[in-house]
Amino acid sequence: MSEKKPILQMRNIAKRFGQFYALKDVSLSIYPGEIHALMGENGAGKSTLMKILAGAYTATSGEIVLDGQPYSINGPKDALRAGITLIYQEINLAPNLTVAENIFLGSELTRNGMVNRRQMEEETQQVLNRLAARFKANATVSSLTIAEQQQVEIARALHRNSRVLVMDEPTAALSSRETDRLFALVKQLRDEGMAIIYISHRMAEIYELSDRVSVLRDGQYIGSLMRDNLSSSELVRMMVGRPLNDLFNKDRTIEKGQTVLECQHLGDGNKVLEASLMVRAGEIVGLSGLVGAGRSELAQLIFGARPRTRGELLLRGNVVQFSSPRDAIDAGIGMLTENRKEQGLFLEMAVHDNIVMATIERDSHFHVLDEGRNRAISSTAIKSLNIRVPHSQVTVGGLSGGNQQKCLISRWTAIHPSLLILDEPTRGVDVGAKSEIYRMMTDMARKGVAILMISSELPEIVGMSDRVYVMRAGEIAGELADEAITQENIMALATGATQSASQVA
């Protein structure tokens, strides 16, 4: 990059919310004709930095330099005039308007006092043809796929003669085929001289697209790597401050206690035909299998969220019958659901309220809340799991995915469970949040909690589990332990490629 001059520089940028610094002294240089990936765990400051660039936030200190000259961005219009466009993860279009009307929104062409729709559509179609779009300028945006709506956003940036395009997790809702098309388009724009800032958590995308990668951690710039020097282990070290092989920190020396949970021929006559398993105190047991094998449904049976038609459930040797999740919670069982936004969190409520939701009834006296104890619970949870919020009254819906997940986990650790069921505990979170969740699991196991972990990530199952049960078509296909816990053995059981559990366990 030394032969080129940067089109954009962000120098010593800081952003403070109250007493909380989201960014501290961050400097970044962007060159024309490059795809510059920006990485970092959730809460590292990536989105905040880009919102400052787009004029949605104003920096507390620092400066933005455009073409070698300081440039003041005090609002979105200033950014647009500078040729900077930010495409947010959530599509920002008017769904009931046409593509052309969205492209010209706020700057409509007129003739004799009337909107000149024909000219708008002609100019829009020229841009769409340049992008090889498969839809027309007069199409209504609501009729387009998410991938096509992203093309509309890109077309709008091109029509505005944008020189810097910021894309924030653009493939989050795309299929693999749509992702391939987006990649081809991004590379085309790069080759035409546009500077592209690409935010993603996905290593495969970074290797596919980036010419350079910069990493933020805790609101600070850590460093950059050129494409030829990219290394997943080095990127992870930069993002979380430790090597990749330290990510799974399961302590194999934790002493295993008595059997906490035992399922005997459990079934619901539908998704779970027959399943038997056991989990001991201090043990992390993985539950693996292909999508649709019945893993989540089995967890719901255990937690009382799904009626069972056969089998018995034993808790510490005693037969139990849960008619609802409330019964399971009262018995000392917590369950992290697979879909945190739809099944777990109260998105419009504060972090504090979400954390103490499962303990409110326990800590109430004559229907009066113990506010002091509740504040202590949420304060301890925020500190122990490093939930990145300026205070506990922040609305949970505005947090990053990793911080949302940690809030939900904190709810269940607050009840001091004897059994903790974790359904996809690290889905949709970055590598830093994963490491903190793994640490929490190890700490809970060390305290004698029995943990049943469902995960679709085989490295996670292998790295964290003391034993593994594999489900196939509603049944337990086999059990693996010790050296037999490998990705190959898990997939063999999940697909039916192995003969019996006893040969691999």
Side-chain angles (χ1 to χ4, degrees):
M1 297 296 173
S2 59
E3 298 178 0
K4 296 181 181 180
K5 293 183 178 180
I7 186 175
L8 169 73
Q9 292 173 290
M10 303 185 78
R11 294 177 177 172
N12 310 113
I13 300 294
K15 179 60 179 177
R16 187 177 67 188
F17 297 95
Q19 297 302 311
F20 173 74
Y21 271 92
L23 294 171
K24 306 172 188 174
D25 195 33
V26 174
S27 296
L28 205 63
S29 296
I30 308 298
Y31 292 83
E34 76 160 338
I35 300 173
H36 191 136
L38 189 60
M39 297 193 75
E41 56 184 305
N42 288 329
K46 306 183 300 296
S47 295
T48 301
L49 184 65
M50 292 302 101
K51 286 179 179 178
I52 289 173
L53 182 61
Y57 289 161
T58 301
T60 303
S61 61
E63 66 174 352
I64 293 174
V65 176
L66 194 67
D67 295 322
Q69 299 296 320
Y71 189 89
S72 179
I73 298 181
N74 296 314
K77 289 185 178 180
D78 291 335
L80 293 177
R81 279 193 289 268
I84 300 168
T85 297
L86 170 57
I87 298 180
Y88 292 92
Q89 187 172 343
E90 295 80 16
I91 300 297
N92 186 26
L93 297 172
N96 295 327
L97 300 182
T98 67
V99 172
E101 288 168 338
N102 271 276
I103 297 295
F104 282 88
L105 192 61
S107 57
E108 289 81 3
L109 301 179
T110 59
R111 183 177 182 181
N112 298 326
M114 302 291 289
V115 174
N116 192 339
R117 299 184 187 280
R118 181 175 179 178
Q119 185 179 351
M120 286 164 51
E121 289 180 4
E122 288 177 353
E123 291 189 19
T124 297
Q125 194 60 53
Q126 292 176 5
V127 180
L128 296 179
N129 291 342
R130 177 180 168 188
L131 299 179
R134 301 182 180 183
F135 53 90
K136 299 298 183 181
N138 61 359
T140 304
V141 164
S142 61
S143 68
L144 306 180
T145 66
I146 295 297
E148 289 171 336
Q149 290 181 31
Q150 282 187 340
Q151 283 187 295
V152 176
E153 294 254 34
I154 294 172
R156 184 160 60 183
L158 292 178
H159 185 263
R160 291 169 173 167
N161 295 316
S162 296
R163 298 185 296 161
V164 178
L165 181 63
V166 183
M167 308 185 78
D168 190 354
E169 297 284 357
T171 65
L174 303 188
S175 67
S176 58
R177 181 174 296 183
E178 290 170 334
T179 296
D180 290 341
R181 290 174 184 161
L182 177 66
F183 286 178
L185 179 55
V186 170
K187 291 175 182 176
Q188 172 190 328
L189 297 175
R190 184 265 315 274
D191 293 343
E192 291 176 0
M194 182 176 283
I196 297 171
I197 303 174
Y198 191 93
I199 301 175
S200 178
H201 288 135
R202 303 177 182 182
M203 289 287 186
E205 295 184 8
I206 300 304
Y207 279 103
E208 171 76 17
L209 290 176
S210 63
D211 299 301
R212 190 157 52 108
V213 182
S214 292
V215 175
L216 299 184
R217 185 174 77 231
D218 297 331
Q220 296 179 294
Y221 172 78
I222 300 302
S224 299
L225 294 176
M226 299 300 295
R227 181 179 183 86
D228 293 341
N229 298 322
L230 285 184
S231 159
S232 59
S233 59
E234 178 61 13
L235 283 174
V236 169
R237 187 198 64 77
M238 292 170 70
M239 283 190 287
V240 302
R242 49 191 171 276
L244 181 63
N245 56 10
D246 289 345
L247 187 60
F248 300 110
N249 51 15
K250 176 69 179 74
D251 186 352
R252 304 295 178 187
T253 64
I254 296 174
E255 184 178 348
K256 309 304 182 290
Q258 67 172 357
T259 298
V260 174
L261 171 72
E262 187 173 0
C263 301
Q264 296 180 349
H265 311 291
L266 216 59
D268 65 359
N270 185 13
K271 295 291 186 178
V272 182
L273 303 181
E274 181 178 338
S276 298
L277 57 78
M278 56 87 70
V279 188
R280 294 173 294 179
E283 188 175 38
I284 298 178
V285 173
L287 184 59
S288 189
L290 302 177
V291 174
R295 299 168 303 169
S296 294
E297 290 79 6
L298 177 56
Q300 292 164 10
L301 284 177
I302 296 170
F303 195 56
R306 192 180 187 91
R308 68 175 188 258
T309 57
R310 63 168 300 168
E312 284 189 331
L313 192 65
L314 286 79
L315 200 62
R316 291 179 291 276
N318 299 312
V319 176
V320 292
Q321 180 71 45
F322 300 142
S323 58
S324 70
R326 183 73 257 174
D327 293 340
I329 294 170
D330 290 341
I333 300 176
M335 180 175 168
L336 178 79
T337 53
E338 181 180 13
N339 189 322
R340 60 177 171 265
K341 290 189 176 181
E342 294 182 9
Q343 300 172 335
L345 292 169
F346 298 88
L347 296 175
E348 300 302 320
M349 296 177 69
V351 168
H352 166 82
D353 297 324
N354 272 273
I355 290 174
V356 302
M357 189 60 65
T359 57
I360 286 178
E361 185 174 339
R362 181 197 70 187
D363 295 338
S364 298
H365 303 286
F366 301 105
H367 304 292
V368 178
L369 299 181
D370 188 337
E371 292 291 352
R373 186 168 184 180
N374 285 340
R375 283 194 299 269
I377 288 172
S378 63
S379 177
T380 299
I382 290 170
K383 183 177 181 180
S384 63
L385 264 179
N386 193 25
I387 301 172
R388 296 179 180 179
V389 290
H391 52 79
S392 65
Q393 295 303 316
V394 171
T395 303
V396 79
L399 301 185
S400 65
N403 283 313
Q404 287 183 348
Q405 192 78 329
K406 287 188 283 186
C407 283
L408 195 50
I409 291 173
S410 296
R411 177 189 302 169
W412 298 117
T413 59
I415 72 170
H416 303 296
S418 58
L419 171 68
L420 186 58
I421 303 171
L422 302 174
D423 194 350
E424 302 289 359
T426 64
R427 172 171 288 175
V429 308
D430 61 81
V431 67
K434 281 187 178 184
S435 179
E436 290 170 344
I437 291 171
Y438 296 150
R439 175 185 56 78
M440 178 278 301
M441 292 171 62
T442 299
D443 290 344
M444 295 288 285
R446 189 175 290 115
K447 294 174 182 176
V449 178
I451 297 176
L452 179 64
M453 177 186 70
I454 301 169
S455 178
S456 299
E457 296 189 24
L458 290 182
E460 184 169 85
I461 287 284
V462 172
M464 290 300 296
S465 302
D466 296 302
R467 288 184 298 115
V468 176
Y469 290 98
V470 183
M471 289 194 73
R472 183 176 71 246
E475 298 181 312
I476 300 293
E479 177 188 354
L480 302 170
D482 301 325
E483 289 76 16
I485 302 177
T486 66
Q487 295 190 39
E488 293 78 11
N489 285 341
I490 292 171
M491 286 306 299
L493 285 168
T495 59
T498 193
Q499 295 179 9
S500 71
S502 61
Q503 290 179 313
V504 292

